[in-house]
Amino acid sequence: MRQPTLEEVAARAGVSKMTASRALRGARDVSAASIEKVKVAAEQLGYVGNQLALSLSSRRTNLIGVVIPSMSNIVFPEVLGGIIGGLEGSGLQPVFGVSDYDLDKERDIIRNMLSWQPAALIITGLDQPEETRKLLRQSDIPVIQIMDLDGEPIDFVVGLSHTQAGREMAEAILASGRKRIGYIGSAVDRDKRAIKRRAGFEAVLQDNGRYFVSVETSLEASSSRLGRDLTGRLLARHPDLDCIYCSNDDMAAGSLFACMKLGRAVPDDILIAGFNGLEITSALPVRIATSTSPRRAIGEQAAQLALAAMNGNGRDLARRIELRAEITLGDAER
């Protein structure tokens, strides 16, 4: 069956072919009435169009490039859900790349995405090496970095301070009376945000004349299994710990299971603390302490910021949007 043409769409809408083309791109110099007529005509005819041809004429596609480090961690699918929600009704299509916390892979993904002439980029984190930052600076499109505020953004940034999140959790744990604290961490060579949380936590310990009694870390990606195994090793050496701070909630869930197997009462005997406030924490046999990150809100605000910047409002927009993680310490919230 033959595909309908742009000429047919223009004829049905009663506009020129050029106006129809510009209307389908959402050009700002086409009236809202004309855009609506062209969209209705395209829908009635089943017109799909050629986005590559549109991009060649406008030097931009309707794509928003999004780069995240992982899909196995539920945090990032929730961020993507926020981005999709924030772009709804805009006519823009997000396309995703997953770096697996590999900076070289991230750079290659960004380079490939830029070759597609995206309208904007949303990138996770602020810790890209200079070669990648140069690509982003030269892209001449809005670049929104997300999830982290501890660093220098290229253009716009939406997120939270992970250093501060670590500090606040340490202050809450010390205020609860815990004194012998251990740490377990995953992907310690790649997860920059977890590294910052640990640094903030340790800084508060040092301010109070304390330190981690024992630390167990791994290069593996986070998982409940890894959290269980590292906690077992930690408690084999220091069974008198009264708190374990974990790099995230996946690790904390595994830590809880290890403590239960060893007969340790959580949280009375030993407090387990993580980060992210994942839904799974409310389904655990015992509540753990956690910091709930506003991950969906970060995605939504990043998408809305990209749209606003693309519409020519970049100079008037806030370059830095800060959100906070809310602490739940056992059953008591702060």
Side-chain angles (χ1 to χ4, degrees), residues 36-49:
E36 181 62 22
K37 286 193 297 184
V38 171
K39 285 184 176 180
V40 169
E43 184 175 349
Q44 290 173 341
L45 291 170
Y47 177 75
V48 175

Side-chain angles (χ1 to χ4, degrees), residues 95-162:
V95 292
F96 308 120
V98 181
S99 69
D100 296 315
Y101 291 98
D102 184 321
L103 294 177
D104 291 336
K105 185 175 181 179
E106 180 186 60
R107 178 199 61 225
D108 292 341
I109 290 170
I110 291 171
R111 180 180 287 115
N112 286 334
M113 282 186 171
L114 288 173
S115 73
W116 304 342
Q117 298 180 320
L121 283 175
I122 299 175
I123 310 294
T124 304
L126 296 171
D127 298 295
Q128 293 81 14
E130 179 54 31
E131 183 179 356
T132 304
R133 292 177 66 84
K134 184 177 181 180
L135 282 175
L136 295 172
R137 285 195 297 267
Q138 295 177 343
S139 65
D140 195 30
I141 57 175
V143 174
I144 296 88
Q145 290 164 280
I146 60 172
M147 304 301 289
D148 195 1
L149 293 179
D150 300 321
E152 291 297 323
I154 300 294
D155 197 359
F156 300 96
V157 61
V158 182
L160 64 143
S161 167
H162 288 263

Side-chain angles (χ1 to χ4, degrees), residues 4-329:
T5 65
L6 181 60
E7 289 87 344
E8 291 169 328
V9 172
R12 175 165 293 205
V15 299
S16 69
K17 179 181 175 182
M18 179 177 292
T19 297
S21 174
R22 295 182 64 77
L24 290 172
R25 295 201 305 270
R28 284 177 289 168
D29 58 352
V30 179
S31 71
S34 293
I35 291 175
E36 181 62 22
K37 286 193 297 184
V38 171
K39 285 184 176 180
V40 169
E43 184 175 349
Q44 290 173 341
L45 291 170
Y47 177 75
V48 175
N50 185 333
Q51 289 299 327
L52 178 59
L54 289 174
S55 72
L56 291 174
S57 61
S58 68
R59 299 189 65 192
R60 289 287 178 264
T61 65
N62 68 337
L63 303 177
I64 299 287
V66 182
V67 184
I68 58 173
S70 172
M71 282 295 286
S72 61
N73 187 330
I74 189 61
V75 167
F76 295 105
E78 290 187 17
V79 173
L80 296 184
I83 291 171
I84 292 169
L87 294 177
E88 187 173 358
S90 69
L92 294 166
Q93 176 65 47
V95 292
F96 308 120
V98 181
S99 69
D100 296 315
Y101 291 98
D102 184 321
L103 294 177
D104 291 336
K105 185 175 181 179
E106 180 186 60
R107 178 199 61 225
D108 292 341
I109 290 170
I110 291 171
R111 180 180 287 115
N112 286 334
M113 282 186 171
L114 288 173
S115 73
W116 304 342
Q117 298 180 320
L121 283 175
I122 299 175
I123 310 294
T124 304
L126 296 171
D127 298 295
Q128 293 81 14
E130 179 54 31
E131 183 179 356
T132 304
R133 292 177 66 84
K134 184 177 181 180
L135 282 175
L136 295 172
R137 285 195 297 267
Q138 295 177 343
S139 65
D140 195 30
I141 57 175
V143 174
I144 296 88
Q145 290 164 280
I146 60 172
M147 304 301 289
D148 195 1
L149 293 179
D150 300 321
E152 291 297 323
I154 300 294
D155 197 359
F156 300 96
V157 61
V158 182
L160 64 143
S161 167
H162 288 263
T163 303
Q164 184 62 24
R167 291 188 62 89
E168 290 175 356
M169 179 57 82
E171 290 166 354
I173 287 173
L174 290 178
S176 74
R178 309 292 167 156
K179 297 179 180 179
R180 296 187 58 77
I181 305 170
Y183 177 83
I184 61 170
S186 59
V188 292
D189 60 334
R190 294 168 289 155
D191 191 344
K192 305 297 185 182
R193 287 169 292 285
I195 292 170
K196 292 173 182 179
R197 292 194 296 273
R198 175 181 170 179
F201 195 105
E202 286 187 298
V204 170
L205 291 183
Q206 292 171 10
D207 289 345
N208 288 270
R210 299 190 179 280
Y211 54 90
F212 283 129
V213 174
S214 187
V215 170
E216 282 285 344
T217 61
S218 171
L219 300 179
E220 289 184 46
S222 70
S223 68
S224 295
R225 177 201 55 77
L226 181 61
R228 178 200 65 196
D229 293 347
L230 295 185
T231 296
R233 295 208 290 265
L234 200 70
L235 291 176
R237 291 199 313 273
H238 295 279
D240 57 343
L241 293 178
D242 60 13
C243 177
I244 299 176
Y245 183 47
C246 309
S247 53
N248 60 37
D249 285 349
D250 287 340
M251 298 287 284
S255 184
L256 169 63
F257 295 138
C259 289
M260 293 176 67
K261 183 177 180 180
L262 293 169
R264 301 293 298 273
V266 179
D268 295 339
D269 180 28
I270 184 168
L271 178 68
I272 307 299
F275 180 84
N276 274 319
L278 299 183
E279 185 177 355
I280 190 177
T281 61
S282 63
L284 293 171
V286 179
R287 293 293 297 273
I288 63 170
T290 189
S291 301
T292 301
S293 59
R295 44 201 177 273
R296 185 175 181 88
I298 288 173
E300 289 176 346
Q301 293 202 32
Q304 292 163 4
L305 190 56
L307 291 174
M310 289 163 49
N311 289 330
N313 300 324
R315 292 182 180 178
D316 301 324
L317 297 173
R319 295 282 165 175
R320 172 188 168 103
I321 298 178
E322 180 173 4
L323 293 90
R324 300 290 294 273
E326 182 178 352
I327 291 178
T328 301
L329 199 59

